[in-house]
Amino acid sequence: MNQSFDLIVIGVGMAAVSAAHKCAAAGWSVAVVDELPYGGTCALRGCDPKKILRRGAEIIDAAQLMQGKGIEAHGLKINWSDLVAHKRSFTDKMPDTIENGLEKNGITTLHGPARFVADNTIEIEGARFQSRYFLVATGAIPRPIDIPGGEYLIDNAQFMALEALPAQLLFVGGGYISFEFAHMAVRAGSQVTIIDRGDQPLKAFDPDLVEQLVARSVAAGIDFQPATTLKSIEETADGFVVVGEQNGSVKQWTVGRVVHGAGRAPAIDALDLPAADIDAGRHGVVVNEYLQSVSNPAVYAAGDAADTIGPPLTPVAVFEGKVATSNMLKGNHTTPDYRGVPSVVFTIPALGRVGMLESEARDAGHDVRVKFTDTSGWFSNLRIGEQHAAVKIVVDNTSDEILGAHLFGPEYAELINIFALAIKLRLKVSDLKTMVPAYPTVGSDLGSML
């Protein structure tokens, strides 16, 4: 006999955990299922472990910047295997912690690959489970790259599991993953190359600040190769030979590992969505404004598995999960608000944005004023020896509201949260300038940035 629930959540990442607990607290019978260890990308293979590994690179970089300014950095180095072990002290306990928390709240925990077999039924390794509602929250996986030798690419999770870093690494793609891990690896002593088929990487970010990030990356020792298309990867006795094409010419590298950083796709192909009449495309499950499937009303989706305008970020997945849950519990009544969602590339230093790009603001018809400031000579950066830092603030001339904030510099990943709140609450420049900050802090620079 099939087991039956009020809600089955497919995928057990942060969006799923929040949704499952909320529905269970409302008295619903709830089950969750994942074929991977519980925790999802953020806790196990992305945000959190990445930030732990970044700490080693931060220390190396900080010492290097202060050479000749009171710090002797010679001999300081990263022990990669110890750093990975430190990362595992967090990730190894996470699946059990999450599962125990779910079970404590009466949620049924299932393991294995799930696929739909009917509008309201899934199958997990031969066992069938029915539910009034489903939440698809399966996240994303590396987008397939169809080239000879594509099977030799390793993903972000495999990179973070390496016990030792190869002497040479090549990253494919000019997005978050490539730049973040390249900044770690080069400070751990590897020779690092990034190839990107476009002329400008990180296209979602302000191009003037991306230019500064590329310059800082090159200064750190990263070989960035734009307008380069990956053609093949061949395994050899010495590692891998990577062949690319750049402006009509063949380029070749011999490296120890090749890392996939060329985009991600919704992890939905194995779910057999057509069996449940669930429409989906290359961007995920097609949903209405309430995050409900447009073709099967019993199904909702959140995070990277849902086709929404929300950026592919963990906080977005979490609040989409909350919105979907509220709509399942109370009927469709709320929609996600993406205003003021910040996004950060955790290079060293970090690059962040919130709100509109300058070009987006102009295209939307705003009368804008733009303040671009090179902040590399400001006290907060002079103090630590950083020579690459800048900000661009986009303001509506008519309303004095901040439309976009774009920051590149040390500790700006924290500062951007103030701009995010300002955009969320539609604060004016004059409002922010009334803030009396603690001094001297990076936050005390905010007024001058405006």
Side-chain angles (χ1 to χ4, degrees):
M1 181 179 295
N2 297 347
Q3 283 188 260
S4 184
F5 296 90
D6 292 312
L7 171 67
I8 295 178
V9 185
I10 306 174
V12 188
M14 295 302 100
V17 170
S18 172
H21 282 301
K22 188 171 182 179
C23 286
W28 280 22
S29 58
V30 179
V32 299
V33 58
D34 204 320
E35 62 181 313
L36 297 173
Y38 288 2
T41 297
C42 183
L44 303 182
R45 302 176 292 277
C47 321
D48 294 335
K50 169 192 73 182
K51 199 75 180 288
I52 292 174
L53 294 180
R54 183 182 187 264
R55 182 57 182 155
E58 290 171 357
I59 291 170
I60 296 296
D61 187 71
Q64 290 173 343
L65 290 178
M66 288 298 291
Q67 284 192 123
K69 301 178 179 67
I71 300 297
E72 296 292 338
H74 305 295
L76 185 67
K77 65 179 182 179
I78 291 174
N79 182 315
W80 185 260
S81 62
D82 283 356
L83 188 59
V84 169
H86 178 46
K87 181 242 346 177
R88 286 180 177 148
S89 71
F90 173 82
T91 57
D92 284 358
K93 64 186 179 184
M94 190 57 61
D96 286 344
T97 299
I98 291 172
E99 186 158 6
N100 290 339
L102 291 165
E103 291 178 345
K104 185 177 179 180
N105 282 346
I107 297 165
T108 300
T109 54
L110 305 170
H111 297 270
R115 66 181 185 91
F116 283 94
V117 293
D119 285 2
N120 68 338
T121 307
I122 61 170
E123 183 175 272
I124 306 168
E125 296 180 335
R128 295 197 171 190
F129 303 86
Q130 293 180 334
S131 184
R132 280 200 301 136
Y133 289 102
F134 292 90
L135 177 63
V136 178
T138 46
I141 56 174
R143 192 175 299 281
I145 297 180
D146 186 16
I147 58 157
E151 67 272 17
Y152 297 124
L153 288 159
I154 64 171
D155 62 17
N156 51 297
Q158 292 166 311
F159 173 85
M160 288 191 287
L162 293 173
E163 290 293 340
L165 283 185
Q168 295 87 25
L169 282 161
L170 185 140
F171 292 84
V172 180
Y176 289 80
I177 291 173
S178 291
F179 272 87
E180 290 177 341
F181 290 131
H183 271 249
M184 297 177 203
V186 75
R187 291 175 175 91
S190 294
Q191 294 180 7
V192 177
T193 299
I194 300 174
I195 66 172
D196 183 22
R197 65 182 181 180
D199 292 321
Q200 177 199 313
L202 297 164
K203 291 181 175 58
F205 291 83
D206 179 81
D208 294 325
L209 298 191
V210 169
E211 185 177 335
Q212 292 231 6
L213 171 56
V214 170
R216 181 66 163 89
S217 303
V218 171
I222 296 168
D223 178 21
F224 176 63
Q225 297 288 331
T228 303
T229 303
L230 177 65
K231 291 297 185 181
S232 66
I233 305 170
E234 180 184 354
E235 187 175 26
T236 70
D238 298 322
F240 300 91
V241 174
V242 180
V243 177
E245 183 179 314
Q246 185 182 67
N247 300 321
S249 299
V250 174
K251 300 206 70 171
Q252 185 170 296
W253 300 267
T254 299
V255 297
R257 289 282 185 175
V258 190
V259 185
H260 188 313
R264 294 169 67 80
I268 57 176
D269 288 351
L271 297 179
D272 198 3
L273 298 178
D277 191 29
I278 302 169
D279 289 349
R282 61 188 300 266
H283 298 296
V285 175
V286 182
V287 295
N288 60 22
E289 66 269 34
Y290 304 107
L291 303 181
Q292 181 183 39
S293 166
V294 297
S295 55
N296 183 339
V299 175
Y300 287 73
D304 294 351
D307 186 355
T308 71
I309 63 170
L313 303 168
T314 296
V316 171
V318 171
F319 80 65
E320 284 185 347
K322 291 178 179 178
V323 167
T325 303
S326 182
N327 288 333
M328 286 186 283
L329 288 170
K330 301 175 184 179
N332 290 344
H333 68 287
T334 187
T335 60
D337 178 9
Y338 300 105
R339 182 179 177 85
V341 175
S343 180
V344 175
V345 186
F346 284 101
T347 46
I348 300 174
L351 170 66
R353 83 167 267 190
V354 62
M356 294 181 175
L357 296 171
E358 177 183 351
S359 59
E360 291 171 342
R362 296 189 190 281
D363 290 345
H366 292 279
D367 174 22
V368 302
R369 69 177 184 269
V370 177
K371 184 172 183 181
F372 178 87
T373 310
D374 185 325
T375 60
S376 60
W378 288 15
F379 172 77
S380 53
N381 291 317
L382 177 69
R383 180 183 71 86
I384 63 175
E386 180 56 69
Q387 297 180 358
H388 294 80
V391 301
K392 180 184 284 189
I393 310 300
V394 183
V395 179
D396 186 291
N397 258 328
T398 303
S399 67
D400 199 39
E401 288 183 14
I402 298 170
L403 300 176
H406 308 276
L407 315 179
F408 174 61
E411 298 186 51
Y412 288 178
E414 297 293 340
L415 185 60
I416 203 166
N417 289 319
I418 297 179
F419 285 104
L421 184 63
I423 291 174
K424 180 77 171 179
L425 299 181
R426 300 182 185 274
L427 299 181
K428 302 178 187 300
V429 169
S430 56
D431 293 323
L432 287 185
K433 283 189 171 181
T434 64
M435 182 183 77
V436 180
Y439 183 86
T441 63
V442 172
S444 67
D445 289 341
L446 187 144
S448 298
M449 292 176 179
L450 297 167

